[in-house]
Amino acid sequence: MKVVETIADLRRLRLKLPEPVGFVPTMGYLHEGHLILVRRAKAENSSVIVSIFVNPTQFGPQEDFSRYPRDPKRDLAMLEKEKVDIVFIPSVVEMYPPQFSSWVEVGKISERLEGASRPGHFRGVATVVAKLFNIVQPDRAYFGQKDAQQLVVIKKMVADLNMNLEVVAVPTVREPDGLAMSSRNIYLKPEERKAAVVLYQALTLAQKLFSQGEKDAQAIRQKMTGLIQKQPLANIEYISIADAETLDELDIVKPPALVSLAVKIGRTRLIDNVVLG
Ligand code: AMP
């Protein structure tokens, strides 16, 4: 496994890799949710490149960029075991030199849900992912369903800008109690970790109501809200039932519908989702 820090080195090594090349962009502090993407990329491609880059431009000024968990040594050991070909681990100045001034804006779908709660977030995500695609030139790129809106935004960017690669969506990996794996779960104190299962419980409730024939989105949202409000450590930021492609909020659930939520557990903001239909 080669570990490279510069764009020039990455490009040089990329030329020698057997094709097709699968690519998994991450912010590091890897867990099983990341490794499932790597394994899928390994299974479907001759070579795999993983990037580790905590992208400052997708964090708001009051967010956790500086305290976001980092452990590159551990990450590299995990990726070595998965037989990844190249790990790209650039510095912030390598990706954003001082004169940097070009941005990718994906429009309406990036302004709701996470985009409404985190202004500028998807501009940062789309820009760094476009840069990484240009640097790595992958045939396929792998993203987790865990970040459902991110997937929708990236697919739209790839289609709108005619980027020459396939975006592959990979199902969410969960802890045994249902909590979606996330690098940010490390922030949770033991009591908060227990309380955090309420996100999955609310999503499971939505699935159950829908399968029993409930089509009234507001009724489902209200029942999810009631369940989460019983958990004193939880504070709801949003609960959404939206068209899975346009992200337009629905009155009547019409599959495929994306049920997504952002909930603060103590000071830690968690997101999760399921698709109905
Ligand atoms: P991050 O390092 O959080 O930016 O995540 C890198 C990639 O891993 C993104 O495509 C995420 O959607 C994906 N990912 C993160 N957590 C999970 C999970 N629990 N299950 C599946 N994919 C995940």
Side-chain angles (χ1 to χ4, degrees):
M1 186 175 83
K2 297 271 199 309
V3 180
V4 298
E5 296 179 5
T6 68
I7 295 163
D9 283 347
L10 190 281
R11 288 212 158 112
R12 201 156 26 78
L13 290 174
R14 163 69 179 88
L15 287 174
K16 296 186 213 145
L17 283 185
E19 309 213 317
V21 171
F23 174 47
V24 182
T26 81
M27 299 205 298
Y29 210 72
L30 302 179
H31 51 68
E32 202 60 27
H34 297 107
L35 297 185
I36 214 90
L37 306 188
V38 172
R39 288 176 199 141
R40 178 84 180 267
K42 275 297 276 187
E44 295 179 354
N45 301 278
S46 301
S47 311
V48 172
I49 301 179
V50 175
S51 64
I52 298 174
F53 181 61
V54 185
N55 174 38
T57 65
Q58 72 189 65
F59 290 76
Q62 308 304 326
E63 292 182 5
D64 57 345
F65 172 69
S66 55
R67 67 181 190 113
Y68 192 85
R70 292 163 169 90
D71 192 346
K73 252 198 198 149
R74 178 168 149 274
D75 290 346
L76 293 177
M78 290 166 86
L79 295 174
E80 179 110 56
K81 269 201 199 135
E82 301 296 329
K83 303 195 164 52
V84 165
D85 296 279
I86 303 178
V87 182
F88 180 47
I89 176 160
S91 66
V92 171
V93 287
E94 181 72 5
M95 292 298 279
Y96 298 105
Q99 69 278 20
F100 183 88
S101 68
S102 303
W103 300 94
V104 180
E105 305 243 15
V106 178
K108 209 174 79 175
I109 53 166
S110 51
E111 282 157 21
R112 18 193 96 154
L113 307 174
E114 285 301 283
S117 290
R118 308 180 64 188
H121 172 65
F122 286 117
R123 182 175 97 138
V125 169
T127 301
V128 82
V129 171
K131 283 171 66 70
L132 288 167
F133 285 174
N134 283 333
I135 294 164
V136 171
Q137 305 265 315
D139 298 285
R140 300 191 184 92
Y142 294 80
F143 292 86
Q145 182 63 35
K146 157 79 172 37
D147 299 285
Q149 188 178 8
Q150 172 169 280
L151 248 169
V152 174
V153 167
I154 304 267
K155 280 186 176 161
K156 187 77 167 63
M157 172 185 81
V158 166
D160 284 354
L161 300 182
N162 311 97
M163 294 180 172
N164 193 18
L165 67 123
E166 183 191 343
V167 174
V168 182
V170 180
T172 302
V173 179
R174 299 179 178 282
E175 300 286 358
D177 68 354
L179 176 67
M181 288 195 180
S182 164
S183 307
R184 288 190 169 99
N185 291 349
I186 189 83
Y187 296 149
L188 299 168
K189 300 186 187 114
E191 277 310 298
E192 294 171 342
R193 169 62 190 82
K194 278 189 217 149
V197 74
V198 78
L199 281 86
Y200 183 63
Q201 287 169 344
L203 293 169
T204 312
L205 174 63
Q207 273 172 324
K208 187 177 121 202
L209 292 168
F210 178 70
S211 70
Q212 289 171 348
E214 181 63 85
K215 298 283 180 317
D216 179 348
Q218 194 51 23
I220 300 176
R221 280 187 210 99
Q222 267 165 11
K223 288 191 174 128
M224 293 173 73
T225 304
L227 187 151
I228 297 173
Q229 281 175 340
K230 281 196 220 137
Q231 171 48 253
L233 295 176
N235 260 309
I236 299 169
E237 216 167 85
Y238 65 78
I239 295 181
S240 157
I241 304 178
D243 180 282
E245 224 173 89
T246 63
L247 303 183
D248 288 333
E249 281 304 309
L250 297 171
D251 295 322
I252 305 294
V253 181
K254 191 170 151 277
L258 177 70
V259 185
S260 62
L261 74 181
V263 176
K264 271 192 147 175
I265 303 288
R267 286 179 53 206
T268 302
R269 185 176 183 281
L270 299 177
I271 59 169
D272 201 351
N273 69 87
V274 293
V275 175
L276 302 180

